[in-house]
Amino acid sequence: MRAISQDVHGAPEVLREAVVPRPEPGLNQILVAVRAAGVNPTDWKHRSDGLFLADRLPLVLGWDVSGVVEAVGYGVTVFKPGDEVFGMLPYPYGVGSHAEYVTGPARAFAHKPAGVDHVQAGALPLAALTAYQAIVDTAQVGPGQRVLVHAAAGGVGHLAVQIAKARGAYVIGTASAAKHDFVRSLGADEVIDYRSIDFAEVVADIDMVLDPLSGDTRARSLGVLRPGGVLVSLLPGTDPDEPAKAAARGVRVETLLVEADHAGMNAVAELVASGALRAHVEAVFPLADAAKAHALGETDRTTGKIVLVVDEAPAGV
């Protein structure tokens, strides 16, 4: 099968199309013929320096996947060959969806909602699960609560706005001025231009902050939480005094690493089917152009998600 592989870490140019053995499903696994696969910041970070997978070369990246079940392993009862599914491979070690086929635990997937195509479905899993696990599982956001989403036009952020609104929250997002109309179209009640306004001076009494940025944003976010509030960050903090500061304010700080989650994927699928959740796809590239997708993502100017699509193999491959 064709796959996008790398033999070394480095710039997008290290990515190459390769022919590798097609995997076979093991116990409780399914083999998925990939139709579309999202590209996330964690992909280009792993490509660049390895992160959790520094000792795994050659490496095929990709955790998002939408496709069709080709075969099932022993013990699988929830899917059959021919089912359309989407899901996130177990992060980080279950990587490998930027290929024509991939295997993964059956319960890392859900049935793809009939009303969306594979590009939409392939854009969702990692970012939507991250937002869902932060807002619902960790913060347990409910009606009337005030939620602040940083980078609200980004991959996780734009989905988090929608999930928080579906929970009945009052949502405030931060984004550059050019993206305010987009964030409002997602349902945000307020949008703050982080380039011209210090959110910490105009926001208060927040029940939950979702912070994909960390650093100074994480530190200033503590000050806008009301007692009992929670800051959920997607990157580790650097302030050794943070636990004491949080305790003094009566707030909680959590650092989230997304997990493969059958129940979470089913919840995401229900939100999608109801019309409450939709990914904004900035760009779509054929599998062979994965390096171009990475280069676009690394500009840090995209809105929503980037997706790779798997087409028929070219003649001679």
Side-chain angles (χ1 to χ4, degrees):
M1 68 172 187
R2 293 180 300 143
I4 300 301
S5 184
Q6 63 183 97
D7 296 317
V8 296
H9 299 118
E13 291 72 27
V14 303
L15 299 174
R16 60 183 179 85
E17 188 174 87
V19 177
V20 301
R22 194 182 90 165
E24 295 296 329
L27 299 177
N28 290 319
Q29 287 189 327
I30 58 175
L31 172 68
V32 178
V34 180
R35 297 289 185 265
V39 182
N40 296 285
T42 190
D43 288 295
W44 52 80
K45 291 174 183 175
H46 277 88
R47 184 215 71 230
S48 177
D49 60 23
L51 288 180
F52 301 116
L53 306 175
D55 60 349
R56 190 182 293 191
L57 290 171
L59 174 65
V60 176
L61 289 167
W63 286 269
D64 283 338
V65 58
S66 181
V68 180
V69 177
E70 183 84 4
V72 301
Y74 180 81
V76 175
T77 62
V78 293
F79 300 114
K80 303 297 181 188
D83 286 348
E84 293 189 317
V85 297
F86 73 136
M88 186 195 80
L89 302 176
Y91 186 85
Y93 303 112
V95 68
S97 70
H98 293 171
E100 290 184 301
Y101 295 89
V102 72
T103 56
R107 292 185 178 272
F109 293 86
H111 288 281
K112 180 182 74 66
V116 299
D117 60 21
H118 286 292
V119 170
Q120 260 292 310
L124 283 163
L126 188 149
L129 274 182
T130 300
Y132 187 88
Q133 290 171 7
I135 292 166
V136 180
D137 295 342
T138 304
Q140 299 180 359
V141 168
Q145 291 194 311
R146 291 167 57 82
V147 173
L148 173 63
V149 178
H150 290 299
V156 172
H158 88 289
L159 300 174
V161 170
Q162 297 173 70
I163 292 172
K165 287 303 297 181
R167 302 283 292 182
Y170 183 94
V171 180
I172 305 168
T174 64
S176 63
K179 297 180 179 180
H180 281 203
D181 287 345
F182 170 70
V183 176
R184 289 192 184 95
S185 76
L186 303 171
D189 298 283
E190 296 181 38
V191 190
I192 297 170
D193 180 3
Y194 67 90
R195 292 176 175 171
S196 62
I197 298 173
D198 180 358
F199 72 88
E201 295 182 355
V202 297
V203 174
D205 296 325
I206 298 296
D207 294 285
M208 186 257 184
V209 177
L210 178 58
D211 169 33
L213 305 172
S214 196
D216 181 59
T217 299
R218 175 167 170 154
R220 288 184 291 134
S221 292
L222 276 180
V224 305
L225 288 169
R226 66 174 52 170
V230 56
L231 164 63
V232 183
S233 182
L234 306 184
L235 294 171
T238 57
D239 181 3
D241 297 324
E242 181 182 77
K245 294 175 181 176
R249 292 188 57 84
V251 300
R252 183 162 57 106
V253 178
E254 304 286 358
T255 301
L256 174 71
L257 188 66
V258 66
E259 299 178 71
D261 180 359
H262 181 64
M265 280 307 307
N266 280 325
V268 167
E270 290 175 4
L271 286 167
V272 172
S274 73
L277 182 65
R278 181 175 177 82
H280 173 81
V281 178
E282 170 87 356
V284 179
F285 292 88
L287 182 67
D289 287 343
K292 294 180 181 178
H294 278 235
L296 175 62
E298 285 185 304
T299 64
D300 202 29
R301 294 195 296 268
T302 57
T303 299
K305 294 295 301 293
I306 299 169
V307 178
L308 299 177
V309 292
V310 177
D311 300 318
E312 294 297 322
V317 174

